[in-house]
Each structure stands twice: as structure tokens, then as C-alpha cells.
Amino acid sequence: MRVKVNIKIRAILLSIGVICSAQLFGQEQKATIFDEASIVYKEMIYGGATLHSLGYGVHFTYGKNITAFKSRIYTIDLVTMKHPKEVRSYYPLSDDSRSYVYGKLNYMLVIRPTIGARNVKFDKIRPSGVAVGYTWRLGPSFAFTRPVYLEIIRSDATAPYQTIAVEIEKYDPLVHDANVIYGRAGILRGVNETKVHPGVHAAFALNFEYDPRRDAIKGLEVGATVDFYPMGDVEIMAFAENLQTYLTFYVTFQLGARFNK
């Protein structure tokens, strides 16, 4: 009888021990998750590819945390910029010619050094969640334009459809009509004739971050940017109204990391 009682007591004690161990282990796991979620990293670096309504580009950002949910950011954008009226054309009598935009006088590339802030409004409540916030940025814009060079067909006046030679020339809307344009020239043509148009810009965007790790950045930014050039219109097209103000909408894919020095 005493033996059975001892066995029951031991079984009860063993069960209590297992339950207490499980509770302690669970508390330790919760504490670990809580500690991981409460880490505030001092700095971050991220970059990515940008697709906007008038072109594409890349960006690089360095950020420094002010609080757990607000950061000061320093960004450099490098984007191409097209005119809204651009239409790509091809020389119809050849399959080897490069495409070109009829009427395009200059290519445009924009560099934006900028300062701003990144704010988190709704943090992730679990690793698989999405943090939602917003960013704003202000700074100068530098538009670089270089002239368009084209491959121009030279033919005999007595046989206008017989090509004698193809020569590279700077596009002149008064001289080069669509019938003599074979295609665009190489990408480096006209680099030595680049002009700079200084301006200013402002941007605002919503940010969606979904990387499960706290020390990593993976997300999407969706927003709008306004570039303004006070010196006048930036000339891109010959047969359309050129613009002084460019409003673009963009989507950016971001990858990066947070860290403490």
C-alpha cells in the first residue's frame, strides 16, 4: 500500500516538474521574442530600383534613428526622365535599325541629393506582418541633358529609296524628317555637349516593410515627386510643349539593413 502511494506521489511530482519546466521555457521564449522586438538600431542603409511614370532609376539611402519610430534620412536618386509626349518609332524598311523617338532633341537624366524623414505609423505586431509608415524628402534637382544623335540615311536624288550611306548627325527638326532617320546613334554620342539645369524637388511616399527580421529591410515605397526648374523649361522635344515642372509617381523596391556601430 505504501509502495503504491509513493509511486502516485512521485508521478504527481514528476508531472508538476514537467509543467513548471514548460512554463519556464515558454516564459524564456517570450522574453527572447520581446527582447528582439525591442531592439532599437541606430542606423540603416538601403537602396533599390525605382520605376516612375516618366522613366526609371536607382536610389541609395542612409538613415539615422531619432526615436524607435522616426529616422532622419539622406538619399541620392538617379533617374531618367522622358517627356510625356514621347512615342517610340522604327525605320520601317529594316529589322536591324535601333528605335528612336521622333522629335526628341535631348535625353534627360536627373540626380537628386535629398534630406528627409522616415516615420513608422503602424509597426509589425508579428514577424510575418507589415510595418506601414511614410517618408518625405526635400532637396535640389540637377537635370543633365545631352543632345540626341541619329543615324541618317543618305540616298541618290534620282533613286530616293536606294541607300548610299548611313551617317551619324545631331538631330535637327528642320532638316531630318522621319523618312531619312534610320535609328538612334550610340549611347555615348553627345556626352561632351551635356548641359546642367539646376532645380529643386519634393517627395512624399507611403512605405511598406515586410522583412521578418528586425535587422533587415525589405519593402516597397509608393509615392510622388515634384521637380521644378526655376531657370525655365527643360527642352526635350521639338514638336511639343516642354516643361518646367515634372510631377511623377513612383514605386521603389528596397533592400537593406539596420545596425549599431
Side-chain angles (χ1 to χ4, degrees), residues 195-256:
K195 296 180 180 179
V196 183
H197 308 265
V200 294
H201 81 276
F204 181 84
L206 295 177
N207 192 277
F208 305 91
E209 189 181 330
Y210 52 85
D211 198 296
R213 297 172 297 168
R214 284 283 176 175
D215 61 344
I217 296 173
K218 185 187 294 182
L220 289 174
E221 188 170 283
V222 182
T225 304
V226 177
D227 295 276
F228 175 69
Y229 300 96
M231 302 295 290
D233 297 346
V234 180
E235 190 175 44
I236 296 180
M237 296 291 290
F239 306 116
E241 182 182 358
N242 289 294
L243 304 175
Q244 187 176 15
T245 302
Y246 288 81
L247 172 63
T248 55
F249 301 93
Y250 71 89
V251 176
T252 296
F253 177 67
Q254 300 172 334
L255 285 174

Side-chain angles (χ1 to χ4, degrees), residues 153-168:
I153 298 172
R154 296 301 178 200
S155 58
D156 190 340
T158 59
Y161 296 103
Q162 182 177 352
T163 301
I164 296 176
V166 175
E167 300 176 353
I168 296 176

Side-chain angles (χ1 to χ4, degrees), residues 85-92 94 97-104 150 178 181-184 237:
K85 299 294 185 180
E86 290 189 21
V87 177
R88 194 160 296 279
S89 303
Y90 298 86
Y91 183 64
S94 173
S97 62
R98 298 189 183 100
S99 64
Y100 68 96
V101 176
Y102 183 65
K104 185 163 184 170
L150 299 173
I181 300 175
Y182 185 75
R184 70 180 187 278
M237 296 291 290

Side-chain angles (χ1 to χ4, degrees), residues 34-207:
F34 179 80
D35 290 344
E36 169 64 18
S38 64
I39 293 176
V40 178
Y41 294 94
K42 295 180 181 178
E43 297 171 86
M44 58 184 169
I45 293 176
Y46 60 89
T50 297
L51 181 65
H52 67 85
S53 51
L54 292 176
Y56 56 90
V58 295
H59 81 103
F60 175 80
T61 298
Y62 166 76
K64 203 161 188 177
N65 285 345
I66 300 173
T67 68
F69 300 104
K70 184 176 181 180
S71 305
R72 179 72 62 202
I73 57 174
Y74 305 89
T75 300
I76 292 180
D77 289 333
L78 177 64
V79 296
T80 61
M81 193 72 69
K82 300 185 299 182
H83 192 281
K85 299 294 185 180
E86 290 189 21
V87 177
R88 194 160 296 279
S89 303
Y90 298 86
Y91 183 64
L93 303 179
S94 173
D95 295 330
D96 299 327
S97 62
R98 298 189 183 100
S99 64
Y100 68 96
V101 176
Y102 183 65
K104 185 163 184 170
L105 294 168
N106 293 291
Y107 300 106
M108 182 175 172
L109 182 71
V110 180
I111 297 178
R112 305 186 188 111
T114 183
I115 186 173
R118 177 181 172 124
N119 298 270
V120 177
K121 296 301 292 181
F122 304 100
D123 199 9
K124 290 185 286 187
I125 60 175
R126 56 183 180 272
S128 61
V130 177
V132 181
Y134 66 91
T135 62
W136 61 264
R137 303 190 302 275
L138 298 171
S141 290
F142 299 99
F144 295 83
T145 58
R146 63 180 178 87
V148 173
Y149 276 76
L150 299 173
E151 294 179 336
I152 303 299
I153 298 172
R154 296 301 178 200
S155 58
D156 190 340
T158 59
Y161 296 103
Q162 182 177 352
T163 301
I164 296 176
V166 175
E167 300 176 353
I168 296 176
E169 298 180 8
K170 183 191 293 187
Y171 173 63
D172 185 342
L174 300 178
V175 176
H176 303 132
D177 60 41
N179 296 322
V180 300
I181 300 175
Y182 185 75
R184 70 180 187 278
I187 193 171
L188 296 179
R189 289 280 182 172
V191 170
N192 59 328
E193 301 174 65
T194 298
K195 296 180 180 179
V196 183
H197 308 265
V200 294
H201 81 276
F204 181 84
L206 295 177
N207 192 277

